[in-house]
């Protein structure tokens, strides 16, 4: 019995020892496997970290590239405008550099920004040959645009046409300083007319400029002051017309009187007027309209037949209204300095402040871009050479 028990015990012990050894070996293998997994996990973590760092580097590289490309592009566009100005004016490289620095400074404080300011000066230089007039006209164009929340290019082109039409781009003052001051005053006056027309009429600054500037040459040729063009257009838009239709009617009326038909000449002669052009120069638009109406005794059909266009007759009707005289007096009495006053109000608006902040940023970027482009240009020249 004892031998049987001993035998069973030894067998069980051997079996248990063998199982334990196997289990021990298995645990050791599992531990090694876990260690290998941990070591692989470290590698996986390292790979993940490297991938993350690579992505962040790409993002940083993109931002750096953007930081370089934007100033480079702004400076390139600004330089193109300056090269155009140099080609138009014949300025030397040093003169155009000085002008460029000045325009960038001005553009950094204007809502339109330095690129628009450089483009505006390019338009002025192309439209006004008198170099002394170019900067005064551009500065007043900036004021006009800001006073009426208008596009600077539109304001500039309109002011250039008016200055040329009325001969305001030239001054007979003794010194250069006095000539520039005189031209600036004339440009400010023309700007005041347009700003006042927008304020007392109905329509945007762009609409009034687009309608007034094309007929300024004709008005000047028949002796009509630009201020009367402004007051009549403002009055007509405040009653029945848009700025465009008002301009068309006034143009038709002036052409009809400048080149009168036989019927119109006869009617004017009956009231003692020998020349339609001379009448316009002596009496102006509104009074000439009253004379025409009197000559035809208010017969609209006869007026249309004599003047050849319904628009001319419609201008007569509009300008002979009872309220125009008082309107014109108010227009002239409150006009002086209206552009400067309106500009001061507009620049306090939030959007204007944001625009000026962007303009200051663009001005700085252009200065940075000049250096960047100089480096780029060096390598381009070296490669080409």
């Amino acid at each position: 019995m004892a031998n049987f028990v001993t035998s069973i015990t030894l067998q069980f012990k051997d079996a248990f020892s063998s199982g334990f050894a196997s289990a021990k070996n298995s645990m050791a293998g599992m531990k090694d496997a876990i260690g290998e997994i941990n070591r692989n996990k470290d590698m996986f973590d390292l790979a993940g970290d490297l991938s993350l760092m690579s992505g962040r580097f790409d993002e940083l590289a993109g931002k750096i590239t953007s930081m370089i490309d934007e100033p480079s592009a702004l400076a390139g566009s600004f330089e193109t405008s300056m090269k155009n100005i140099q080609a138009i004016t014949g300025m030397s490289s040093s003169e155009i550099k000085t002008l460029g620095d000045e325009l960038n400074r001005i553009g950094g404080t204007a809502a339109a920004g330095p690129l628009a300011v450089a483009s505006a000066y390019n338009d002025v230089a192309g439209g006004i040959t008198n170099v002394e007039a170019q900067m005064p006209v551009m500065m007043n164009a900036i004021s006009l645009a800001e006073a009426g929340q208008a596009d600077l290019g539109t304001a500039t082109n309109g002011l250039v046409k008016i200055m040329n039409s009325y001969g305001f781009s030239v001054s007979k003052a003794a010194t250069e300083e006095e000539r520039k001051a005189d031209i600036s005053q004339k440009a400010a006056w023309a700007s005041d007319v347009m700003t006042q027309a927008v304020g007392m009429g109905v329509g945007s600054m762009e609409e009034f400029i687009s309608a007034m500037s094309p007929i300024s040459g004709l008005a000047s040729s028949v002796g009509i002051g630009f201020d009367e063009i402004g007051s009549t257009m403002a009055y007509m838009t405040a009653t029945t017309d848009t700025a465009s239709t008002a301009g068309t009617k006034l143009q038709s009326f002036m052409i009809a009187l400048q080149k009168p038909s036989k019927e119109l000449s006869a009617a004017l002669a009956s009231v003692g007027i020998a020349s339609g052009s001379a009448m316009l120069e002596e009496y102006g638009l509104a009074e000439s309209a009253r004379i025409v109406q009197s000559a035809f005794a208010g017969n609209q059909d006869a007026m249309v037949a004599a003047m050849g266009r319904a628009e001319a007759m419609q201008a007569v009707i509009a300008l002979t209204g009872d309220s125009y005289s008082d309107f014109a007096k108010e227009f002239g009495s409150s006009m002086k300095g209206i552009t400067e006053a309106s500009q001061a109000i507009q620049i306090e608006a939030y959007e204007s402040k944001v625009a000026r902040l962007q303009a200051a940023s663009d001005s700085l970027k252009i200065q940075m871009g000049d250096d960047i482009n100089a480096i780029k240009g060096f390598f381009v020249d070296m490669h080409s050479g």
Side-chain angles (χ1 to χ4, degrees):
M1 183 69 175
N3 290 336
F4 175 77
V5 171
T6 300
S7 176
I8 293 298
T9 300
L10 290 173
Q11 289 181 20
F12 180 79
K13 181 179 178 182
D14 290 342
F16 183 81
S17 296
S18 175
F20 183 79
S22 297
K24 183 177 180 181
N25 292 335
S26 297
M27 290 296 291
M30 186 179 296
K31 182 179 179 181
D32 291 341
I34 290 173
E36 186 65 26
I37 290 171
N38 285 335
R39 285 190 292 274
N40 290 339
K41 180 177 180 298
D42 291 340
M43 295 298 293
F44 292 151
D45 289 344
L46 177 60
D49 290 341
L50 288 173
S51 176
L52 181 61
M53 290 173 65
S54 176
R56 289 178 177 175
F57 178 79
D58 290 341
E59 181 182 353
L60 177 61
K63 289 181 177 180
I64 292 174
T65 301
S66 177
M67 289 171 62
I68 293 174
D69 287 348
E70 186 178 4
S72 176
L74 284 170
S77 297
F78 189 84
E79 184 188 22
T80 296
S81 292
M82 297 311 301
K83 290 296 184 183
N84 288 337
I85 294 170
Q86 185 177 16
I88 292 171
T89 61
M91 290 184 179
S92 66
S93 297
S94 60
E95 288 173 332
I96 207 68
K97 174 65 169 62
T98 301
L99 177 62
D101 292 342
E102 179 68 4
L103 293 180
N104 191 30
R105 183 193 65 79
I106 294 170
T109 62
L115 290 184
V117 167
S119 179
Y121 194 96
N122 182 54
D123 291 341
V124 173
I128 296 178
T129 57
N130 181 14
V131 177
E132 292 178 338
Q134 291 170 359
M135 186 62 76
V137 170
M138 191 205 68
M139 294 302 295
N140 279 279
I142 292 173
S143 297
L144 178 63
E146 292 184 351
Q149 294 184 344
D151 174 71
L152 179 56
T154 301
T156 302
N157 289 326
L159 190 56
V160 166
K161 291 177 182 177
I162 293 159
M163 295 293 289
N164 285 335
S165 295
Y166 283 90
F168 293 160
S169 300
V170 179
S171 173
K172 295 181 180 179
T175 67
E176 179 182 348
E177 193 96 8
E178 291 171 340
R179 288 192 296 271
K180 286 183 177 180
D182 182 39
I183 292 169
S184 182
Q185 288 175 1
K186 291 174 181 175
W189 179 82
S191 298
D192 284 344
V193 172
M194 286 187 279
T195 303
Q196 183 78 323
V198 173
M200 293 186 65
V202 177
S204 68
M205 178 66 78
E206 282 92 348
E207 290 171 337
F208 273 94
I209 291 174
S210 297
M212 293 169 72
S213 56
I215 65 173
S216 60
L218 175 60
S220 175
S221 70
V222 293
I224 302 298
F226 187 62
D227 53 342
E228 189 171 10
I229 292 293
S231 65
T232 52
M233 288 194 66
Y235 178 76
M236 292 168 73
T237 59
T239 51
T240 58
D241 294 300
T242 64
S244 177
T245 57
T248 300
K249 290 177 181 180
L250 291 177
Q251 183 180 44
S252 296
F253 180 54
M254 288 186 286
I255 291 174
L257 290 179
Q258 191 178 31
K259 299 178 180 179
S261 64
K262 291 181 180 180
E263 293 81 4
L264 181 56
S265 295
L268 292 177
S270 69
V271 292
I273 301 297
S275 166
S277 297
M279 179 178 68
L280 282 172
E281 186 172 1
E282 182 177 356
Y283 296 107
L285 284 169
E287 187 60 29
S288 294
R290 292 189 185 93
I291 294 172
V292 169
Q293 188 180 52
S294 175
F296 286 95
N299 188 329
Q300 295 183 11
D301 291 336
M303 278 192 286
V304 172
M307 290 189 287
R309 297 182 182 182
E311 293 91 344
M313 182 271 295
Q314 291 166 354
V316 171
I317 294 174
L319 298 179
T320 52
D322 294 335
S323 59
Y324 173 71
S325 179
D326 292 336
F327 185 93
K329 289 178 181 177
E330 182 183 353
F331 187 97
S333 64
S334 59
M335 187 181 74
K336 185 175 176 57
I338 189 68
T339 302
E340 184 179 357
S342 298
Q343 182 187 20
I345 293 171
Q346 297 286 8
I347 62 175
E348 290 301 317
Y350 171 74
E351 288 186 354
S352 177
K353 291 180 179 180
V354 171
R356 289 172 185 275
L357 182 61
Q358 182 62 52
S361 174
D362 288 348
S363 177
L364 179 60
K365 288 175 182 176
I366 287 172
Q367 296 177 52
M368 295 168 56
D370 284 340
D371 294 335
I372 294 169
N373 291 348
I375 296 171
K376 289 182 177 180
F378 169 79
F379 285 108
V380 170
D381 292 341
M382 184 174 67
H383 175 73
S384 301

